[in-house]
Amino acid sequence: MIRKLLAHNDYVRVLNALERRPMRFGRLQCELKLHPPQATRALKFLCRAKLIRSELADTVTGLPLFVYTLTDRGAAFQEA
């Protein structure tokens, strides 16, 4: 898993971006200048590896918005 992660720069860039703050898909895509398939592929891999998770964000309007955040495992990987 580590080799696959390090082989793709996009995966590491997504982890670094999520280390700063939780983000929605569109924000992550725009900030990192990724195409939708690239962002989707990175998020799927990182979710399967349990390095990130998607969760509901608290909003004033009550609309269900999902954000991606680092898990404890993802934070440990970032420290290493």
Side-chain angles (χ1 to χ4, degrees), residues 4-80:
K4 285 183 183 179
L5 178 65
L6 295 177
H8 296 277
N9 289 336
D10 298 338
Y11 299 178
V12 177
R13 288 176 56 211
V14 168
L15 275 179
N16 288 334
L18 292 177
E19 183 180 29
R20 288 175 275 168
R21 68 181 181 277
M23 284 191 232
R24 295 187 61 208
F25 179 84
R27 177 77 176 166
L28 187 66
Q29 179 187 348
C30 289
E31 189 170 302
L32 298 178
K33 295 181 176 88
L34 296 172
H35 295 289
Q38 288 175 305
T40 301
R41 189 178 317 117
L43 291 172
K44 280 183 182 179
F45 176 84
L46 295 170
C47 282
R48 273 187 266 133
K50 298 186 181 172
L51 296 171
I52 64 171
R53 69 175 168 262
S54 64
E55 55 188 31
L56 280 172
D58 293 331
T59 60
V60 176
T61 61
L63 293 173
L65 300 176
F66 285 94
V67 293
Y68 292 94
T69 60
L70 273 180
T71 61
D72 293 334
R73 186 176 180 176
F77 177 81
Q78 286 294 95
E79 286 181 25

